[in-house]
Every structure is written in C-alpha cells, then in structure tokens.
Amino acid sequence: MRIELTGIFVDDQRAALDFYTDVLGFTKRHDIPLGDNFWLTVASPEVPDGPELLLEPSDHPAARTYRAALVEDGIPLVQFAVDDVEAEHTRLTERGVVFTQPPTDIGTAVVAVFDDTCGNLVQIIAMKPEPVAAG
Amino acid sequence: MIGKRLLAYSGRMADVFRALDDETRRLVLDQLATRDGQTLFEICSILAARYDVSLTRQAVSQHLGVLEEAGLIRTERRGRSKYHYFTPEPLAEIARRWPIGQRTEP
C-alpha cells in the first residue's frame, strides 16, 4: 500500500492553485473540470513520483465548521518537509504569507505554521540530523 | 460597599492563587512570558517538546480557561486564529499587597 494522493479542502480552487504553485512552489499535476469544480492536484517538483495533494472544493457544510475550528486553535491540516524552516519563513513572509507560529525548535525538528489563505493552516518541518554517536 | 469590593477582590485573588497552584499552568505562563501570543496548537506542541508534558488538547484548553478566569492570560483573535497572551497584572496585585523590600526595621 502506498500514499499517492491526499487532499485538503480549499475555499476557492483557482486561488488555491495560485497559492500552492506560485507562492509555495508546487507543480500542477491535474486540472480536470468536474461539474462546477475541478479535479485539481499539485505535487512537489523535488519528488517527481511523489504523492499528489488534492485541492478539494469545500462546499460541504461540515467542511467549513471543521476547518474553522481547527484554524481557530492553530492546528495544521497538512505538513510539508523543507530543508530550512527559517529560510522558508523569510521567503514566505516576504510574499505576504501570515505565520500563526514562527519557526520553533521542538528538539528533534524545527517547525512553523502558516495560513494557506484558502482556509487551512500548514505546518512546515525540517528534521534535525540524527546526532552522531560519540566515540 | 467597601466590604463588597473587598470580597470581590479576595475572590479574584483566590482565583489567581488557585490558577498558579498547578505545574502545567505555571509552564504555560513560562512559555508565554518567553514568547507571547501563541495558539493552542503551539502551546501544546511546546509543552510536549520542551517540558515533556503530553496532555490532550482538551486538557490544555481547560488549563488555559482557568488562567483566563484568573485574569492571568487573555485571548485575541487575529485573522481566523485565536492567540493567548500573558497578562501579569494580577501578579502585581500580590506585590502591592505584600510589598517586597519595604519592611521597616524593628
């Protein structure tokens, strides 16, 4: 079993595509009209065969309530790996992205949380290298 | 009139002492004193990562409620998220009631 696709609900699919490609730097994989909406996925250019992220319309009433409650408490819905959280924080802040949690050292990793402007919070994480055993 | 005010005052002070009578709540204040304005998620993740306190979010949320009742923290909405801020004013009341370094020598 493999994870090839996972999804998040977004307020507006076209705005979400702009944010996830232009601001975050992902690549569009699928953009197929589906009724009033689209089957819209992005992926990381760093991982050609990596999993796709589905940007799903949030027109289900339960999705709205669920996401609003998570954002209120600062809880991210998805996590992306980066090489350098501080550098991403600087880069994204310059692009106008709002962080709900600045880069924070949590021991084994550095994390930060930002608002994806589409109704979700996203955590970025850079794992610290495993300490080399002494001797 | 004065009696009522005194009663309200001592009730509030009792809340402050009760709120401080818990290690997790003291750690939350330590955290906010270090970096003010944190979401529930950030408070939980730092409690777990730095202080090895692994409580459910509901439990941490209840601790935050006690601190807010006692006037030791306040919450503010910015955008769609809610942030917690340390409001140390009730601690100043303690120092006013029992001033430090102002005792007259016998």
Side-chain angles (χ1 to χ4, degrees):
Chain A
M1 206 176 282
R2 302 176 304 279
I3 297 177
E4 289 194 339
L5 177 92
T6 181
I8 52 169
F9 294 107
V10 295
D11 292 337
D12 175 320
Q13 287 190 294
R14 298 335 291 179
L17 180 62
D18 283 347
F19 184 83
Y20 277 80
T21 55
D22 183 45
V23 179
L24 295 189
F26 292 132
T27 315
K28 184 169 78 175
R29 281 274 181 86
H30 292 102
D31 189 1
I32 303 162
L34 211 68
D36 293 339
N37 300 310
F38 301 86
W39 178 261
L40 178 63
T41 70
V42 296
S44 169
E46 296 171 32
V47 194
D49 295 324
E52 293 176 49
L53 181 70
L54 176 68
L55 303 173
E56 199 165 354
S58 61
D59 40 16
H60 193 290
R64 207 162 288 270
T65 316
Y66 161 69
R67 293 193 309 144
L70 293 182
V71 173
E72 173 172 322
D73 284 341
I75 302 169
L77 263 180
V78 65
Q79 175 179 285
F80 302 134
V82 298
D83 293 332
D84 183 340
V85 169
E86 285 283 354
E88 284 294 334
H89 176 256
T90 306
R91 180 181 81 85
L92 293 173
T93 302
E94 279 167 6
R95 297 289 311 262
V97 175
V98 174
F99 279 75
T100 62
Q101 180 177 340
T104 310
D105 190 326
I106 56 163
T108 52
V110 178
V111 297
V113 180
F114 63 81
D115 186 328
D116 76 351
T117 70
C118 312
N120 309 293
L121 298 181
V122 173
Q123 181 166 61
I124 48 174
I125 185 166
M127 296 304 291
K128 289 186 188 171
E130 295 277 331
V132 181
Chain B
M1 211 39 205
I2 289 168
K4 263 187 192 165
R5 202 176 298 159
L6 199 64
L7 210 63
Y9 168 79
S10 60
R12 196 167 65 233
M13 195 154 250
D15 285 346
V16 171
F17 285 114
R18 264 196 294 273
L20 291 171
D21 185 22
D22 180 275
E23 181 60 10
T24 302
R25 291 198 285 270
R26 290 193 294 270
L27 290 174
V28 168
L29 294 183
D30 286 344
Q31 262 193 65
L32 293 178
T34 309
R35 206 186 74 71
D36 220 0
Q38 296 186 25
T39 62
L40 173 63
F41 176 79
E42 180 170 3
I43 291 168
C44 290
S45 56
I46 294 180
L47 277 177
R50 294 204 189 138
Y51 303 104
D52 220 16
V53 177
S54 52
L55 293 171
T56 62
R57 287 198 186 109
Q58 288 87 338
V60 174
S61 188
Q62 278 171 9
H63 283 306
L64 292 172
V66 174
L67 289 169
E68 192 171 9
E69 282 280 298
L72 288 165
I73 62 170
R74 68 177 173 81
T75 57
E76 187 184 303
R77 264 168 195 286
R78 258 200 340 270
R80 293 192 254 203
S81 300
K82 192 168 86 177
Y83 298 85
H84 302 78
Y85 293 87
F86 181 31
T87 47
E89 183 53 27
L91 301 180
E93 278 179 32
I94 295 174
R96 271 198 292 274
R97 182 162 171 179
W98 296 292
I100 299 159
Q102 289 182 14
R103 297 187 61 182
T104 46
E105 291 299 317

